[in-house]
Amino acid sequence: MEIIELDPADGDLVSGAYDVMVASHKADHPENPAPHRGSFVAGLSYPPPDQDEAHFVAVEDGRVVATMGIGLPNRSNLHFGWAWGSVHPEHRRKGIGSALLEHFIAYAREHGRTELTLDTHMAWENGVERAKAGRSFLEKHGFKLALTTINRSCAVDALAADTEQALLDKARAAAGDDYEIISWIGRTPEELVETMARIDSTILAEVPLGDLELEPETIDAELKRAKQDRTEAMGLKVVQTVARYRGSGEVVANTCVFLHDDGEFPDAYQGITIVDKDHRGHRLGLLLKLENLRLLRENFPHLRAIWTDNADVNAPMIDINVTLGYEIVDANGEFLRKFEA
Ligand SMILES: CC(C)(COP(=O)(O)OP(=O)(O)OC[C@H]1O[C@@H](n2cnc3c(N)ncnc32)[C@H](O)[C@@H]1OP(=O)(O)O)[C@@H](O)C(=O)NCCC(=O)NCCS
């Protein structure tokens, strides 16, 4: 078995890696959204602007048997590194996963990273079954559970039309006239980029992170635009709704959903939903999500479901999602191992 850096131009290796992802998805967590070939391939050549990435495959007898991506933040959180990947179900328990994990640790350590994480699907109460392999594997290698997020999904038409309308009316009444609700599909309107960058910069300080010591990332307008370039390069579209406080002109609440813009992939992913501390308690979270859902349904009739993951302790966000009809599927365990500097 050989570990090779994945060259995005090597079509056979890229296809082999994608096939491993598909086989693992089918064996390990078939209820979750499937890997998307176009986005995977595009992502290999187009890393996020705030993260350096490297991709590796394990090859045995000329066939790709495992795949791994490594992400190293390059602006803030320079102590941190994470990896993702899987071993083909027919090639497990032969030490391939361990070899890749050691490769990740060596690579990240060489780049000065001291806090390394990987995640794995886990079962959660009222959800579907999940194998314990990922957790056992990571614990065997000295990683400890640092953050649990629960994956929920919701049909785009989960609520009866009159229930949805009643919720929307109530949320609109609670928000009152102080907020202008603005929605768009695609790139952030240029006049909102600065204020959106400001609210995006608060995300890491506001979402529960368990034992992950991540500092808030400062997102400026330039980085915000570069992130949007990457979203487009990946063939993803964003559907977004924000609330602008009339008193200050600033965006104080935001929700967004990402989808594959190919007219057929049925699953969409909920991105961040955030309401500025000073503007909580006005039902802005629920209001924005409902407005955004309507926009999504009207413009992308091929979509069937939206997926979201919330920290298990994030009660206010989970309350909103349950109201909207989200149901538990499984959980994600983020496992952390710390090294000496
Ligand atoms: C987790 C995973 C990467 C392990 O790959 P692998 O090549 O089978 O792992 P290894 O053969 O190196 O196993 C090393 C040790 O992990 C533990 N382990 C691995 N699979 C296990 C299982 N099914 N049950 C219990 N322990 C397991 C064992 O301690 C094992 O040592 P042993 O075989 O001597 O008992 C693989 O099962 C997988 O791809 N799962 C889906 C993706 C995932 O959850 N990834 C998590 C890490 S990113």
Side-chain angles (χ1 to χ4, degrees), residues 120-329:
T120 188
H121 286 269
M122 303 190 304
W124 195 259
E125 206 182 337
N126 299 323
V128 297
E129 269 310 307
R130 287 290 176 251
K132 295 192 170 58
R135 180 175 194 151
S136 304
F137 169 78
L138 291 169
E139 287 178 341
K140 158 120 186 203
H141 288 282
F143 286 74
K144 291 198 171 63
L145 184 61
L147 173 67
T148 304
T149 56
I150 308 169
N151 293 314
R152 288 180 169 82
S153 74
C154 182
V156 290
D157 53 0
L159 297 178
D162 54 345
T163 310
E164 190 182 293
Q165 187 61 49
L167 276 175
L168 187 56
D169 292 344
K170 248 173 112 173
R172 280 181 180 151
D177 295 328
D178 288 345
Y179 302 96
E180 181 189 2
I181 306 303
I182 309 169
S183 296
W184 63 86
I185 297 171
R187 296 183 79 91
T188 303
E190 223 12 70
E191 70 274 15
L192 294 180
V193 168
E194 291 280 353
T195 181
M196 289 302 299
R198 187 197 62 79
I199 196 164
D200 283 358
S201 301
T202 66
I203 292 172
L204 279 182
E206 294 296 331
V207 298
L209 291 170
D211 294 333
L212 301 178
E213 288 160 12
L214 288 167
E215 66 209 33
E217 182 184 27
T218 302
I219 297 172
D220 55 22
E222 188 194 347
L223 179 56
K224 175 95 193 136
R225 290 190 192 98
K227 281 175 176 259
Q228 297 184 85
D229 293 343
R230 197 231 180 197
T231 301
E232 287 183 345
M234 302 266 295
L236 292 165
K237 193 131 246 174
V238 189
V239 177
Q240 194 147 9
T241 300
V242 304
R244 181 155 64 174
Y245 183 53
R246 294 187 200 278
S248 64
E250 296 284 343
V251 166
V252 295
N254 165 35
T255 195
C256 58
V257 169
F258 293 81
L259 61 114
H260 297 283
D261 193 17
D262 61 4
E264 56 184 44
F265 196 83
D267 298 298
Y269 319 99
Q270 175 67 52
I272 187 70
T273 298
I274 191 162
V275 179
D276 187 297
K277 270 203 195 84
D278 295 341
H279 296 270
R280 292 184 188 159
H282 302 285
R283 302 248 162 192
L284 287 174
L286 182 64
L287 174 59
L288 296 193
K289 284 193 109 170
L290 281 166
E291 300 274 13
N292 213 44
L293 174 64
R294 290 196 160 185
L295 190 62
L296 197 72
R297 225 168 27 214
E298 278 160 22
N299 288 278
F300 302 98
H302 69 281
L303 287 182
R304 291 286 157 267
I306 309 175
W307 289 77
T308 192
D309 63 329
N310 309 113
D312 53 350
V313 296
N314 194 347
M317 192 70 257
I318 290 172
D319 276 356
I320 292 176
N321 289 337
V322 169
T323 303
L324 290 169
Y326 279 83
E327 290 180 357
I328 292 173
V329 178

Side-chain angles (χ1 to χ4, degrees), residues 24 28 83-88 91-99 118-121 132-134 136-138 140-141:
S24 298
D28 301 324
W84 58 96
S86 60
V87 177
H88 191 289
H91 295 269
R92 293 183 182 168
R93 293 314 274 273
K94 298 195 300 181
I96 297 171
S98 298
L118 297 109
D119 65 353
T120 188
H121 286 269
K132 295 192 170 58
S136 304
F137 169 78
L138 291 169
K140 158 120 186 203
H141 288 282

